[in-house]
Amino acid sequence: MKTAEDIAHYLKVQADIIENELDRLVPQRRGHYQELFESSRYALLGGGKRLRPILTLATAAMFGIDPRYVLTPACTLELIHTYSMIHDDLPCMDNDDYRRDKLTVHKKFSEGHAVLTGDYLLTYAFEILATDPHLPADKKVQLIATLARRSGGDGMIGGQVMDIACEGKKIPLETLQLLHRNKTGALLTAAVEFGGIIANATPIQLDSLRHFGESIGLAFQVIDDILDVTSSKAKHGKAFSSDIRNEKSTFISILGLDQARMYAAKFHNQATQSLKPLGLDTSRLEALADFVIRRVS
Ligand code: IPE
Ligand code: IPE
Ligand code: MG
Ligand code: MG
Ligand code: MG
Protein backbone atom coordinates (compact mmCIF):
# COMPACT_ATOMS: atom_id res chain seq x y z
CA MET A 1 0.00 0.00 0.00
CA LYS A 2 2.20 2.77 -1.26
CA THR A 3 0.24 5.47 -3.08
CA ALA A 4 -2.39 7.93 -1.82
CA GLU A 5 -4.90 6.27 -4.21
CA ASP A 6 -4.21 2.87 -2.63
CA ILE A 7 -4.98 4.12 0.86
CA ALA A 8 -8.01 6.14 -0.31
CA HIS A 9 -9.41 3.02 -1.99
CA TYR A 10 -8.67 0.87 1.07
CA LEU A 11 -10.38 3.38 3.40
CA LYS A 12 -13.46 3.57 1.16
CA VAL A 13 -13.85 -0.22 0.94
CA GLN A 14 -13.43 -0.63 4.73
CA ALA A 15 -15.78 2.26 5.49
CA ASP A 16 -18.51 0.67 3.32
CA ILE A 17 -18.12 -2.66 5.13
CA ILE A 18 -18.35 -0.88 8.50
CA GLU A 19 -21.37 1.16 7.41
CA ASN A 20 -23.25 -2.04 6.49
CA GLU A 21 -22.40 -3.64 9.83
CA LEU A 22 -23.51 -0.56 11.79
CA ASP A 23 -26.75 -0.58 9.80
CA ARG A 24 -27.26 -4.21 10.81
CA LEU A 25 -26.37 -3.62 14.46
CA VAL A 26 -28.72 -0.65 14.91
CA PRO A 27 -31.80 -1.25 12.73
CA GLN A 28 -34.80 1.07 12.68
CA ARG A 29 -37.44 -0.27 15.07
CA ARG A 30 -41.09 0.66 15.39
CA GLY A 31 -42.77 1.20 18.75
CA HIS A 32 -42.99 3.48 21.76
CA TYR A 33 -39.35 4.57 21.70
CA GLN A 34 -38.60 4.42 17.99
CA GLU A 35 -37.03 7.93 18.16
CA LEU A 36 -34.10 6.33 20.00
CA PHE A 37 -33.26 4.22 16.95
CA GLU A 38 -33.93 7.12 14.58
CA SER A 39 -31.51 9.40 16.42
CA SER A 40 -28.95 6.61 16.82
CA ARG A 41 -29.00 5.86 13.11
CA TYR A 42 -28.92 9.58 12.32
CA ALA A 43 -25.72 9.95 14.34
CA LEU A 44 -24.12 6.66 13.36
CA LEU A 45 -24.75 6.21 9.65
CA GLY A 46 -23.69 8.04 6.51
CA GLY A 47 -20.58 9.86 7.67
CA GLY A 48 -17.29 9.77 9.49
CA LYS A 49 -13.93 8.37 8.55
CA ARG A 50 -14.42 5.17 10.59
CA LEU A 51 -10.78 5.32 11.60
CA ARG A 52 -11.17 3.39 14.87
CA PRO A 53 -12.83 0.25 13.45
CA ILE A 54 -10.54 0.45 10.41
CA LEU A 55 -7.53 0.37 12.75
CA THR A 56 -8.92 -2.75 14.41
CA LEU A 57 -9.53 -4.46 11.07
CA ALA A 58 -6.07 -3.48 9.77
CA THR A 59 -4.35 -4.73 12.93
CA ALA A 60 -6.14 -8.07 12.90
CA ALA A 61 -5.47 -8.46 9.16
CA MET A 62 -1.76 -7.93 9.81
CA PHE A 63 -1.89 -11.06 12.02
CA GLY A 64 -3.81 -12.95 9.30
CA ILE A 65 -7.12 -13.07 11.20
CA ASP A 66 -10.37 -13.66 9.26
CA PRO A 67 -12.23 -10.30 9.24
CA ARG A 68 -15.51 -12.09 10.03
CA TYR A 69 -14.35 -12.44 13.64
CA VAL A 70 -13.31 -8.81 13.92
CA LEU A 71 -15.95 -6.64 12.25
CA THR A 72 -18.58 -6.68 15.00
CA PRO A 73 -16.18 -5.94 17.90
CA ALA A 74 -14.50 -3.28 15.72
CA CYS A 75 -17.86 -1.54 15.29
CA THR A 76 -18.30 -1.22 19.06
CA LEU A 77 -15.47 1.35 18.94
CA GLU A 78 -17.50 3.39 16.45
CA LEU A 79 -20.53 3.21 18.77
CA ILE A 80 -18.45 4.56 21.67
CA HIS A 81 -16.85 7.21 19.43
CA THR A 82 -20.28 8.33 18.16
CA TYR A 83 -21.66 8.54 21.71
CA SER A 84 -18.67 10.63 22.73
CA MET A 85 -19.23 13.00 19.79
CA ILE A 86 -22.96 13.40 20.55
CA HIS A 87 -22.16 14.37 24.14
CA ASP A 88 -19.12 16.48 23.10
CA ASP A 89 -21.39 18.64 20.90
CA LEU A 90 -24.01 19.34 23.60
CA PRO A 91 -24.58 22.95 24.73
CA CYS A 92 -23.08 22.11 28.14
CA MET A 93 -19.88 20.91 26.41
CA ASP A 94 -18.62 22.35 23.07
CA ASN A 95 -22.04 23.65 22.00
CA ASP A 96 -21.68 22.78 18.33
CA ASP A 97 -24.57 22.84 15.87
CA TYR A 98 -23.02 20.75 13.09
CA ARG A 99 -21.13 17.47 12.89
CA ARG A 100 -20.26 15.55 9.75
CA ASP A 101 -22.03 18.28 7.77
CA LYS A 102 -25.35 17.59 9.47
CA LEU A 103 -27.13 19.20 12.41
CA THR A 104 -25.89 17.76 15.69
CA VAL A 105 -28.21 15.29 17.43
CA HIS A 106 -29.43 17.79 20.06
CA LYS A 107 -30.26 20.28 17.27
CA LYS A 108 -32.04 17.74 15.08
CA PHE A 109 -33.90 16.06 17.97
CA SER A 110 -33.57 17.55 21.48
CA GLU A 111 -30.98 17.77 24.25
CA GLY A 112 -32.69 15.05 26.22
CA HIS A 113 -32.69 12.78 23.19
CA ALA A 114 -29.03 13.52 22.52
CA VAL A 115 -28.02 12.55 26.08
CA LEU A 116 -30.06 9.36 25.91
CA THR A 117 -28.89 8.45 22.39
CA GLY A 118 -25.29 8.71 23.63
CA ASP A 119 -26.14 6.64 26.71
CA TYR A 120 -27.75 3.98 24.54
CA LEU A 121 -24.83 3.67 22.12
CA LEU A 122 -22.42 3.43 25.06
CA THR A 123 -24.40 0.72 26.83
CA TYR A 124 -25.20 -1.20 23.65
CA ALA A 125 -21.50 -1.40 22.70
CA PHE A 126 -20.87 -3.53 25.79
CA GLU A 127 -23.94 -5.69 25.15
CA ILE A 128 -22.63 -6.43 21.65
CA LEU A 129 -19.23 -7.49 23.00
CA ALA A 130 -20.71 -9.61 25.78
CA THR A 131 -22.99 -11.48 23.35
CA ASP A 132 -20.62 -11.85 20.39
CA PRO A 133 -21.28 -15.30 18.84
CA HIS A 134 -17.69 -15.93 17.66
CA LEU A 135 -15.39 -14.86 20.48
CA PRO A 136 -14.46 -17.14 23.40
CA ALA A 137 -15.40 -15.89 26.88
CA ASP A 138 -11.84 -14.91 27.89
CA LYS A 139 -11.44 -12.71 24.81
CA LYS A 140 -14.78 -11.02 25.46
CA VAL A 141 -13.68 -10.16 28.99
CA GLN A 142 -10.38 -8.75 27.70
CA LEU A 143 -12.13 -6.61 25.07
CA ILE A 144 -14.78 -5.38 27.53
CA ALA A 145 -12.11 -4.46 30.09
CA THR A 146 -10.03 -2.70 27.43
CA LEU A 147 -12.96 -0.71 26.06
CA ALA A 148 -14.18 0.25 29.55
CA ARG A 149 -10.70 1.36 30.64
CA ARG A 150 -9.89 3.32 27.47
CA SER A 151 -13.21 5.12 27.35
CA GLY A 152 -13.42 5.66 31.12
CA GLY A 153 -11.98 7.87 33.84
CA ASP A 154 -8.34 7.24 32.94
CA GLY A 155 -9.19 7.43 29.26
CA MET A 156 -11.60 9.37 27.07
CA ILE A 157 -13.87 10.67 29.85
CA GLY A 158 -10.91 11.77 31.97
CA GLY A 159 -9.57 13.61 28.93
CA GLN A 160 -12.91 15.30 28.28
CA VAL A 161 -13.04 16.43 31.93
CA MET A 162 -9.55 17.94 31.57
CA ASP A 163 -10.63 19.56 28.28
CA ILE A 164 -13.46 21.40 30.05
CA ALA A 165 -11.37 22.23 33.13
CA CYS A 166 -8.60 23.74 30.97
CA GLU A 167 -10.88 26.09 29.01
CA GLY A 168 -9.60 29.66 29.18
CA LYS A 169 -6.33 28.62 30.86
CA LYS A 170 -2.72 28.64 29.74
CA ILE A 171 -1.59 25.11 30.61
CA PRO A 172 1.88 23.51 30.26
CA LEU A 173 2.57 21.34 27.21
CA GLU A 174 2.78 18.18 29.38
CA THR A 175 -0.74 18.81 30.69
CA LEU A 176 -2.01 19.32 27.15
CA GLN A 177 -0.39 16.08 26.04
CA LEU A 178 -2.04 14.16 28.88
CA LEU A 179 -5.38 15.74 27.94
CA HIS A 180 -4.97 14.72 24.29
CA ARG A 181 -3.60 11.28 25.14
CA ASN A 182 -6.73 10.58 27.16
CA LYS A 183 -9.52 12.28 25.26
CA THR A 184 -8.51 11.01 21.80
CA GLY A 185 -5.49 8.73 22.07
CA ALA A 186 -7.13 6.28 24.46
CA LEU A 187 -9.86 5.12 22.06
CA LEU A 188 -7.43 4.95 19.13
CA THR A 189 -5.17 2.83 21.34
CA ALA A 190 -8.12 0.56 22.17
CA ALA A 191 -8.70 0.15 18.43
CA VAL A 192 -5.29 -1.41 17.79
CA GLU A 193 -5.38 -3.31 21.09
CA PHE A 194 -8.68 -4.88 19.96
CA GLY A 195 -6.98 -6.23 16.82
CA GLY A 196 -4.08 -7.56 18.89
CA ILE A 197 -6.28 -9.18 21.54
CA ILE A 198 -8.46 -10.96 18.97
CA ALA A 199 -5.32 -12.13 17.15
CA ASN A 200 -3.64 -13.52 20.30
CA ALA A 201 -0.76 -11.03 20.05
CA THR A 202 2.16 -11.59 22.44
CA PRO A 203 2.66 -9.13 25.35
CA ILE A 204 5.56 -7.51 23.42
CA GLN A 205 3.41 -7.12 20.31
CA LEU A 206 0.54 -5.66 22.39
CA ASP A 207 2.96 -3.16 23.91
CA SER A 208 4.16 -2.04 20.55
CA LEU A 209 0.55 -1.69 19.32
CA ARG A 210 -0.22 0.43 22.40
CA HIS A 211 2.72 2.73 21.70
CA PHE A 212 1.60 3.02 18.10
CA GLY A 213 -1.98 3.85 19.17
CA GLU A 214 -0.84 6.47 21.69
CA SER A 215 1.42 8.16 19.14
CA ILE A 216 -1.11 8.27 16.31
CA GLY A 217 -3.67 9.40 18.89
CA LEU A 218 -1.53 12.42 19.71
CA ALA A 219 -0.82 13.09 16.03
CA PHE A 220 -4.53 12.74 15.29
CA GLN A 221 -5.60 15.30 17.90
CA VAL A 222 -2.88 17.80 16.88
CA ILE A 223 -4.25 17.62 13.32
CA ASP A 224 -7.80 17.91 14.69
CA ASP A 225 -6.74 21.12 16.46
CA ILE A 226 -5.08 22.39 13.26
CA LEU A 227 -8.16 21.60 11.16
CA ASP A 228 -10.36 23.40 13.67
CA VAL A 229 -8.65 26.68 12.82
CA THR A 230 -7.64 26.07 9.20
CA SER A 231 -10.67 24.30 7.74
CA SER A 232 -13.41 24.18 10.32
CA LYS A 233 -16.00 24.47 7.56
CA ALA A 234 -14.78 21.27 6.00
CA LYS A 235 -14.62 19.59 9.43
CA HIS A 236 -17.93 20.56 10.93
CA GLY A 237 -19.91 22.30 8.21
CA LYS A 238 -19.61 25.56 10.14
CA ALA A 239 -17.62 28.68 9.50
CA PHE A 240 -15.91 29.58 12.79
CA SER A 241 -13.49 27.71 15.04
CA SER A 242 -15.23 25.92 17.89
CA ASP A 243 -11.97 25.79 19.88
CA ILE A 244 -11.41 29.56 19.74
CA ARG A 245 -15.04 30.25 20.68
CA ASN A 246 -14.71 27.91 23.68
CA GLU A 247 -11.21 29.16 24.60
CA LYS A 248 -9.91 25.58 24.46
CA SER A 249 -6.35 24.67 25.34
CA THR A 250 -5.05 23.19 22.10
CA PHE A 251 -1.70 22.68 20.37
CA ILE A 252 -2.51 25.83 18.39
CA SER A 253 -3.31 28.02 21.40
CA ILE A 254 -0.19 26.83 23.22
CA LEU A 255 2.38 26.43 20.42
CA GLY A 256 1.00 28.12 17.32
CA LEU A 257 0.35 26.54 13.94
CA ASP A 258 3.93 25.88 12.75
CA GLN A 259 5.10 24.18 15.94
CA ALA A 260 1.86 22.21 16.09
CA ARG A 261 2.64 20.84 12.61
CA MET A 262 6.12 19.86 13.82
CA TYR A 263 4.60 18.04 16.79
CA ALA A 264 2.25 16.10 14.50
CA ALA A 265 5.28 15.00 12.44
CA LYS A 266 7.15 14.01 15.62
CA PHE A 267 4.27 11.85 16.87
CA HIS A 268 3.88 10.32 13.42
CA ASN A 269 7.54 9.35 13.45
CA GLN A 270 7.18 7.85 16.95
CA ALA A 271 4.19 5.85 15.69
CA THR A 272 6.08 4.26 12.81
CA GLN A 273 9.10 3.52 15.04
CA SER A 274 6.90 1.75 17.58
CA LEU A 275 5.78 -0.77 14.93
CA LYS A 276 9.31 -2.20 14.54
CA PRO A 277 9.17 -4.82 17.37
CA LEU A 278 6.04 -6.39 15.86
CA GLY A 279 8.03 -8.40 13.34
CA LEU A 280 5.15 -8.36 10.84
CA ASP A 281 4.25 -6.58 7.61
CA THR A 282 3.16 -3.24 9.08
CA SER A 283 2.69 -1.39 5.77
CA ARG A 284 -1.06 -0.98 6.24
CA LEU A 285 -0.72 0.52 9.73
CA GLU A 286 2.04 2.79 8.42
CA ALA A 287 -0.28 3.92 5.61
CA LEU A 288 -2.99 4.65 8.19
CA ALA A 289 -0.51 6.69 10.26
CA ASP A 290 0.35 8.67 7.08
CA PHE A 291 -3.34 9.24 6.48
CA VAL A 292 -3.78 10.55 10.04
CA ILE A 293 -1.36 13.40 9.51
CA ARG A 294 -2.23 14.14 5.87
CA ARG A 295 -6.00 14.17 6.29
CA VAL A 296 -7.99 17.30 5.48
CA SER A 297 -11.21 16.48 7.36
C1 IPE B 1 -13.26 13.72 15.83
O1 IPE B 1 -13.02 12.41 15.47
C2 IPE B 1 -13.12 13.90 17.28
C3 IPE B 1 -11.86 13.55 17.87
C4 IPE B 1 -11.75 12.58 18.69
C5 IPE B 1 -10.69 14.35 17.58
P1 IPE B 1 -12.95 11.98 13.96
O2 IPE B 1 -12.17 13.02 13.17
O3 IPE B 1 -12.46 10.58 13.87
O4 IPE B 1 -14.46 12.07 13.51
P2 IPE B 1 -15.26 11.27 12.38
O5 IPE B 1 -15.71 10.01 13.00
O6 IPE B 1 -14.36 11.03 11.20
O7 IPE B 1 -16.40 12.18 12.04
C1 IPE C 1 -13.48 15.46 21.18
O1 IPE C 1 -12.51 16.40 20.87
C2 IPE C 1 -12.83 14.26 21.70
C3 IPE C 1 -13.80 13.29 22.27
C4 IPE C 1 -13.35 12.31 22.93
C5 IPE C 1 -15.23 13.39 22.16
P1 IPE C 1 -12.98 17.69 20.09
O2 IPE C 1 -14.03 18.43 20.84
O3 IPE C 1 -11.76 18.43 19.68
O4 IPE C 1 -13.64 17.02 18.80
P2 IPE C 1 -14.35 17.83 17.64
O5 IPE C 1 -13.33 18.85 17.18
O6 IPE C 1 -15.57 18.47 18.24
O7 IPE C 1 -14.65 16.80 16.59
MG1 MG D 1 -14.55 18.76 22.80
MG1 MG E 1 -15.87 19.25 20.05
MG1 MG F 1 -11.56 19.46 17.82
Side-chain angles (χ1 to χ4, degrees):
M1 191 172 293
K2 284 275 173 278
T3 67
E5 290 83 56
D6 288 345
I7 183 73
H9 177 72
Y10 171 75
L11 290 170
K12 169 88 181 78
V13 171
Q14 300 304 303
D16 286 349
I17 293 169
I18 290 158
E19 177 86 9
N20 285 338
E21 179 65 0
L22 292 170
D23 184 34
R24 185 189 74 81
L25 287 168
V26 185
Q28 181 56 54
R29 281 169 45 186
R30 299 272 157 239
H32 292 298
Y33 41 88
Q34 65 184 43
E35 292 97 328
L36 178 62
F37 306 104
E38 267 162 34
S39 56
S40 298
R41 288 171 62 81
Y42 176 83
L44 206 52
L45 302 178
K49 296 178 285 297
R50 314 302 194 194
L51 182 62
R52 294 148 192 84
I54 289 175
L55 278 168
T56 307
L57 292 170
T59 306
M62 177 176 72
F63 286 91
I65 298 295
D66 187 332
R68 272 180 305 172
Y69 302 119
V70 193
L71 183 59
T72 308
C75 283
T76 63
L77 291 152
E78 192 66 16
L79 264 63
I80 297 282
H81 169 59
T82 305
Y83 123 70
S84 78
M85 298 285 89
I86 296 170
H87 285 188
D88 179 73
D89 291 332
L90 283 167
C92 57
M93 303 247 325
D94 293 354
N95 193 18
D96 278 314
D97 294 350
Y98 290 92
R99 167 144 325 256
R100 297 174 172 172
D101 289 322
K102 295 195 291 194
L103 283 173
T104 41
V105 176
H106 65 272
K107 282 277 162 188
K108 176 82 180 170
F109 298 85
S110 70
E111 274 181 55
H113 267 88
V115 171
L116 292 167
T117 304
D119 291 345
Y120 164 64
L121 294 174
L122 160 62
T123 315
Y124 184 44
F126 288 98
E127 181 185 337
I128 293 171
L129 286 176
T131 57
D132 186 280
H134 301 298
L135 295 168
D138 62 328
K139 293 260 173 268
K140 288 183 192 179
V141 172
Q142 261 183 287
L143 295 177
I144 289 168
T146 300
L147 191 59
R149 196 176 303 123
R150 298 290 178 213
S151 52
D154 288 322
M156 187 266 289
I157 293 172
Q160 287 285 70
V161 169
M162 279 182 81
D163 182 277
I164 292 179
C166 294
E167 280 177 9
K169 292 190 187 141
K170 194 104 189 112
I171 56 169
L173 188 59
E174 300 74 56
T175 311
L176 180 69
Q177 284 197 30
L178 178 65
L179 191 170
H180 277 18
R181 188 168 280 131
N182 284 337
K183 86 165 181 177
T184 305
L187 209 53
L188 289 165
T189 305
V192 286
E193 283 180 300
F194 262 42
I197 291 168
I198 295 168
N200 275 322
T202 65
I204 288 174
Q205 288 173 323
L206 273 175
D207 252 1
S208 106
L209 287 172
R210 275 183 206 114
H211 288 139
F212 174 77
E214 282 167 16
S215 299
I216 59 158
L218 283 165
F220 187 88
Q221 186 60 45
V222 180
I223 300 293
D224 184 83
D225 292 351
I226 292 174
L227 291 174
D228 189 84
V229 291
T230 58
S231 66
S232 60
K233 201 156 174 39
K235 185 171 155 55
H236 295 298
K238 67 174 159 42
F240 188 67
S241 163
S242 172
D243 292 339
I244 294 174
R245 174 171 43 79
N246 289 315
E247 296 182 47
K248 294 285 187 193
S249 287
T250 68
F251 268 85
I252 314 298
S253 69
I254 289 177
L255 295 174
L257 204 48
D258 288 344
Q259 275 211 59
R261 288 206 171 96
M262 281 165 58
Y263 263 88
K266 179 184 131 182
F267 295 136
H268 171 266
N269 186 40
Q270 276 176 14
T272 40
Q273 290 303 318
S274 56
L275 292 172
K276 297 246 149 59
L278 278 167
L280 296 164
D281 175 3
T282 57
S283 55
R284 212 174 265 168
L285 289 185
E286 285 169 48
L288 287 170
D290 293 347
F291 166 74
V292 160
I293 62 158
R294 291 208 196 110
R295 71 201 178 93
V296 290
S297 71

